[in-house]
Amino acid sequence: MTVHVPVRPATTERQERPAEAHPPGARNPGPRQGCSPQAGERLRPLTRRQIEDRFAELGDLYAQTSGGGPRVWNAARGAFLRRLGADVRRPGFGLLIAETTVLTGCAYGYPVPGGDPRGVRGLEPYLPGSVLSVAASGRLFLVCGIVVPARVRRQHQDRAWNLARRLQTRLLAEHDAALGVTLVDRTDGATVQALRSWGWRYAEGDTLQSSVLGRYGVLVLGG
């Protein structure tokens, strides 16, 4: 089974509103601190039927945040929708969207079957013993993807109201997960850096452990 690498944080970004000019002599309020959750995107889960109804829209979101030109977008969109179409059939699958008047982000995944993580995207061979014990309890949740605009990777990553942090925290809470887990390509420094900035940590030690099984490593969240 192909190991699914989590969605790489967006490399494109919507146009930001320019900063307002200050009248001569006015006090500079300093750098903006960004929107609070109350002023930002609203999060809500979608049912499987709602996911089907918004399939094309979710694909467009992924394409728009994948970087590159139309040819890259089309290929990325198709691959994403094929993965999502397979994942949505998994028991316990959950997908959260973030939206204002438009769709701005999403995060999705599913629980690892308690005591039997075999066959879940090739996950089991990469899990250290400390994570396997959580899987045995039935409270290990595989985060398959986090799709957000580029600004979420670059701005206020350590704030609780950062959109990626809000999405991943809510996703785990709604599924009563004790620990989130995801696989990353150890050579994909941009993805590793983004996830680390959102609170993910190495499953063991202070680096991604090498493996004779392949180039992937495990990051965990919570616990």
Side-chain angles (χ1 to χ4, degrees), residues 148-196:
V148 290
R151 60 178 167 80
V152 179
R153 184 180 59 167
R154 298 199 303 259
Q155 301 174 7
H156 314 295
Q157 303 96 318
D158 60 342
R159 299 297 182 92
W161 44 261
N162 175 278
L163 181 58
R165 284 180 175 260
R166 293 178 62 208
L167 283 165
Q168 65 194 25
T169 299
R170 173 85 173 268
L171 187 62
L172 296 185
E174 292 212 344
H175 291 269
D176 192 31
L179 194 67
V181 63
T182 198
L183 288 178
V184 291
D185 185 336
R186 292 193 306 275
T187 66
D188 187 353
T191 294
V192 174
Q193 181 180 6
L195 291 169
R196 292 277 289 157

Side-chain angles (χ1 to χ4, degrees), residues 22-38:
H22 302 294
R27 181 180 178 184
N28 189 329
R32 295 179 63 185
Q33 295 302 306
C35 295
S36 70
Q38 290 73 27

Side-chain angles (χ1 to χ4, degrees), residues 75-139:
R77 185 181 190 276
F80 168 73
L81 290 179
R82 287 191 293 273
R83 292 194 301 267
L84 183 60
D87 286 341
V88 75
R89 295 192 291 270
R90 298 274 189 174
F93 178 85
L95 183 144
L96 283 175
I97 62 170
E99 58 185 353
T100 51
T101 56
V102 296
L103 187 65
T104 60
C106 71
Y108 60 96
Y110 51 87
V112 175
D116 186 18
R118 293 171 297 178
V120 180
R121 288 210 181 275
L123 179 67
E124 189 269 341
Y126 296 94
L127 297 181
S130 58
V131 177
L132 281 172
S133 64
V134 180
S137 73
R139 299 185 65 198

Side-chain angles (χ1 to χ4, degrees), residues 11 62-63 66-78:
T11 55
Y62 187 91
S66 63
R71 184 176 298 179
V72 175
W73 295 344
N74 290 336
R77 185 181 190 276

